[in-house]
């Protein structure tokens, strides 16, 4: 999605997700799709999802799929 749209130096995060159970059984990657540091936090009553970020998420997952498919012979 472009280096300018990725924060590779984000703080480590210790969360509690059921995703970890899935990741024990299949290759997995957990990523955050954010809307910027000035956005209202997710669990806030004023939160309003920014639909514009959806295209970034789609672009990311398309790149992951394409990379995986390119590695197959």
């Amino acid at each position: 999605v472009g280096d300018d749209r990725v924060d590779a130096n984000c703080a480590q995060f210790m969360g509690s997700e059921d995703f970890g159970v899935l990741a024990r059984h299949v290759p997995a990657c957990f990523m955050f799709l954010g809307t910027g540091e000035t956005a209202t936090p997710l669990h806030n009553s004023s939160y309003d999802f920014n639909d514009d970020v959806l295209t970034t998420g789609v672009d990311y997952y398309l790149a992951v799929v394409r990379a995986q498919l390119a590695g197959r012979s």
Side-chain angles (χ1 to χ4, degrees):
V1 296
D3 289 343
D4 61 321
R5 296 166 72 188
V6 175
D7 181 3
N9 296 313
C10 62
Q12 292 182 357
F13 176 79
M14 179 74 116
S16 175
E17 292 288 336
D18 293 338
F19 183 82
V21 176
L22 172 71
R24 290 184 199 152
H25 303 282
V26 296
C29 175
F30 191 91
M31 61 80 104
F32 290 101
L33 178 62
T35 58
E37 292 182 27
T38 60
T40 304
L42 178 61
H43 298 289
N44 183 299
S45 62
S46 299
Y47 180 77
D48 182 25
F49 185 79
N50 179 354
D51 293 340
D52 294 336
V53 77
L54 291 173
T55 56
T56 300
V58 170
D59 290 344
Y60 170 80
Y61 283 111
L62 283 173
V64 170
V65 170
R66 287 180 179 134
Q68 288 296 311
L69 291 175
R72 294 184 180 196
S73 48

